[in-house]
Amino acid sequence: VSVPSQVRSLIGPDGRFWPLHTQLRRILLGRVRKDEVAREWQAQIDKVRQEGLQPDHIDGHCHLSSFPALGPLAHRLARNAGIRCARASEATRWREFRGTPLGRWPVSLFISAASRVTWWRSNQGLRHPARFVGMVKSGDMTLPWVVDALRALEPGRVSELLVHPSMGTEPGEPWGDHGPLRRKLEYEAMLAPEAR
């Protein structure tokens, strides 16, 4: 949303955000300027508000706002904008790992640990749902998994279910990680009578 020249550490030579794996590496190596992240995130908040909407929570694409290097900044911007809640990207139940490829475990555990550190360091008075469900199965949810996850929710507690639904028409490897046909399965699972 920002003028590219004002967020140079966030974008590549093509003027677009770095790919996720590159951006994450740059964050971890300290090559991303926090003032530029703040400028871009504030511009995104302002754009939403200019549309007449007041956001009630924040999160970051692929959980980047959960990382300790940036999380406290996201929480501060949220608090200053009157946003009361933020995502806590944490897989908190071992049953969420059941039936998922082992390759997803390390990244999910890493994001969960990073999120815990961010919440511990932020102390901005924000709230978050009691449970965050779906991170480990992100991009690979089936109707039976969704139904099982919904049945496991605790009555009276707010939970966030992470899904990436779509009609399956966007570009990309159809059955690749978070590919369009996988997203279509999530869309269909969320609309299925069994999920309701």
Side-chain angles (χ1 to χ4, degrees):
V1 176
S2 301
V3 176
S5 62
Q6 295 179 342
V7 291
R8 291 299 320 158
S9 73
L10 306 181
I11 59 175
D14 61 356
R16 298 172 58 98
F17 286 126
W18 292 101
L20 178 62
H21 65 282
T22 303
Q23 194 74 278
L24 180 57
R25 185 172 60 248
R26 291 175 57 79
I27 290 167
L28 294 174
L29 294 174
R31 294 185 178 153
V32 169
R33 292 183 46 174
K34 289 184 182 177
D35 63 315
E36 293 181 0
V37 173
R39 181 176 294 117
E40 175 59 24
W41 284 353
Q42 186 63 57
Q44 291 179 19
I45 291 169
D46 292 344
K47 184 171 179 122
V48 169
R49 294 170 103 185
Q50 288 167 3
E51 294 297 322
L53 303 170
Q54 173 56 38
D56 57 10
H57 73 282
I58 60 162
D59 62 55
H61 179 65
C62 291
H63 315 287
L64 289 179
S65 61
S66 294
F67 290 95
L70 301 178
L73 170 63
H75 286 216
R76 189 181 79 238
L77 290 171
R79 188 196 67 217
N80 292 345
I83 300 170
R84 301 180 317 146
C85 301
R87 173 179 286 166
S89 300
E90 299 174 17
T92 57
R93 303 284 199 284
W94 282 109
R95 72 180 289 143
E96 295 174 34
F97 289 82
R98 188 176 62 221
T100 62
L102 288 177
R104 288 179 178 256
W105 289 38
V107 72
S108 297
L109 293 170
F110 176 73
I111 292 169
S112 295
S115 181
R116 289 256 170 139
V117 171
T118 290
W119 279 91
W120 175 74
R121 289 180 59 200
S122 295
N123 194 24
Q124 298 292 330
L126 299 181
R127 297 168 50 197
H128 62 80
R131 285 199 50 213
F132 179 66
V133 182
M135 179 168 57
V136 187
K137 288 290 282 184
S138 177
D140 194 33
M141 292 181 187
T142 61
L143 178 57
W145 187 91
V146 169
V147 169
D148 184 56
L150 293 174
R151 285 188 177 134
L153 297 179
E154 299 171 44
R157 300 189 74 194
V158 175
S159 299
E160 179 180 357
L161 177 63
L162 174 70
V163 292
H164 296 87
S166 82
M167 298 301 292
T169 57
E170 60 275 357
E173 177 62 35
W175 291 104
D177 189 32
H178 292 86
L181 294 182
R182 290 189 184 277
R183 290 177 182 240
K184 185 174 183 183
L185 285 178
E186 291 190 14
Y187 173 80
E188 291 168 348
M190 296 308 300
L191 295 180
E194 298 91 331
R196 291 182 191 180

